[in-house]
Amino acid sequence: MVNEEMIQYVERLLPKKEEAIVEIERYAREHNVPIMDALSIETMLHMLKLVQPMRILEIGTAIGYSAIRMAKALPHVHIVTIERDEERYKQALVYVEQTNTKEQITLLFGDALDMGDEVKKHAPFDVLFIDAAKGQYRRFFELYEPLLSERGIIITDNVLFKGLVATHEPIEQKRIRQLIKKIQAYNEWLMAHPRYETVIIPIGDGIAISRKRGE
Ligand SMILES: C[S@@+](CC[C@H](N)C(=O)[O-])C[C@H]1O[C@@H](n2cnc3c(N)ncnc32)[C@H](O)[C@@H]1O
């Protein structure tokens, strides 16, 4: 059983981050911007270093934190990332400039569900990273999976939704109940996908890693 103490212990062992990254984390905390938690991002970066992708499509930039971490960890990668919240998109532009990752990151502003044609111009991608509206995961997957290269993988964050997908406790809020149902449906659909095999890693908010069957 992974408990909070264990998580904090592992986090304390992580290498020190550069000041610009710490500043983005601080901004996220102060402005309630949801960014990937420490262990999830480290796990994802480690896996990406093994996969060595050349191009990544990210759905859900927020303020650019994960895109910048990916760009720093993989100096040859190019990331195309989409955000629909204007304030966050503008802050991401600032941080991309400040961290000298402009050459590696293309920031797109808009709703990812309406941007298929625009995104297609940047395809193919070796990784699709889904980290946006939780109720729309399947739509993001179906819209952008065709843009993946032959060995492309899909990473979906927040598939355990703070453990709520597994709880037997009654949930008061209708909106949360509906969201839980949608994520559960996505997980079941994903695990049974005829062309992808998936593992769900119960770290942070839960990450699903899907790769093409038979690869
Ligand atoms: C969890 S945050 C992304 C965090 C970011 N990947 C990180 O770890 O630094 C999710 C973001 O997705 C954005 N978003 C949600 N639905 C979207 C959509 N349909 N199109 C574009 N952006 C969307 C939200 O505005 C929010 O900023």
Side-chain angles (χ1 to χ4, degrees):
M1 184 82 180
V2 181
N3 63 27
E4 202 46 46
E5 269 179 351
M6 276 193 235
I7 294 168
Q8 284 169 8
Y9 169 74
V10 180
E11 284 182 0
R12 281 199 299 275
L13 291 175
L14 293 175
K16 207 167 177 299
K17 282 170 262 183
E18 61 180 280
E19 186 46 40
I21 299 294
V22 175
E23 157 59 26
I24 306 174
E25 291 173 353
R26 195 179 303 127
Y27 179 101
R29 261 195 317 276
E30 284 169 9
H31 295 81
N32 284 323
V33 178
I35 58 169
M36 242 184 157
D37 71 276
L39 289 190
S40 297
I41 188 106
E42 294 298 336
T43 305
M44 184 172 82
L45 294 178
H46 196 85
M47 203 196 54
L48 291 175
K49 284 180 188 171
L50 296 173
V51 173
Q52 285 293 322
M54 294 305 291
R55 303 185 67 76
I56 297 175
L57 172 63
E58 176 184 62
I59 317 293
T61 319
I63 53 173
Y65 178 73
S66 50
I68 291 167
R69 295 291 313 268
M70 290 191 280
K72 295 266 178 194
L74 301 151
H76 302 295
V77 84
H78 192 92
I79 300 140
V80 174
T81 178
I82 313 172
E83 176 55 53
R84 69 176 174 191
D85 179 293
E86 192 169 5
E87 200 179 326
R88 289 181 182 173
Y89 163 77
K90 284 186 175 160
Q91 193 58 43
L93 285 173
V94 171
Y95 284 139
V96 165
E97 179 81 42
Q98 276 177 12
T99 52
N100 294 317
T101 49
K102 232 164 104 177
E103 298 293 311
Q104 280 179 273
I105 301 176
T106 302
L107 292 159
L108 301 179
F109 172 54
D111 189 320
L113 292 171
D114 301 330
M115 298 187 71
D117 289 342
E118 170 71 17
V119 174
K120 210 173 181 175
K121 294 181 199 153
H122 302 272
F125 300 98
D126 305 306
V127 175
L128 166 61
F129 173 39
I130 302 174
D131 192 14
K134 294 184 202 32
Q136 308 286 353
Y137 280 176
R138 183 167 165 179
R139 292 179 72 196
F140 295 136
F141 185 114
E142 289 181 324
L143 182 59
Y144 291 116
E145 180 271 330
L147 303 186
L148 279 182
S149 60
E150 212 151 288
R151 290 161 55 85
I153 62 165
I154 298 166
I155 303 173
T156 317
D157 193 22
N158 311 115
V159 292
L160 298 180
F161 193 21
K162 304 180 183 91
L164 290 175
V165 287
T167 190
H168 297 296
E169 302 292 320
I171 306 287
E172 298 260 313
Q173 284 168 281
K174 191 171 172 215
R175 197 186 69 84
I176 302 289
R177 273 204 311 273
Q178 284 171 340
L179 207 46
I180 293 171
K181 276 202 182 124
K182 281 193 172 168
I183 300 171
Q184 287 169 333
Y186 176 72
N187 289 342
E188 282 157 34
W189 172 80
L190 188 60
M191 293 303 287
H193 200 289
R195 286 185 294 106
Y196 282 86
E197 58 181 354
T198 296
V199 62
I200 293 178
I201 307 178
I203 191 168
D205 212 14
I207 316 173
I209 299 169
S210 311
R211 65 181 198 118
K212 290 181 188 173
R213 290 187 190 273
E215 287 292 322

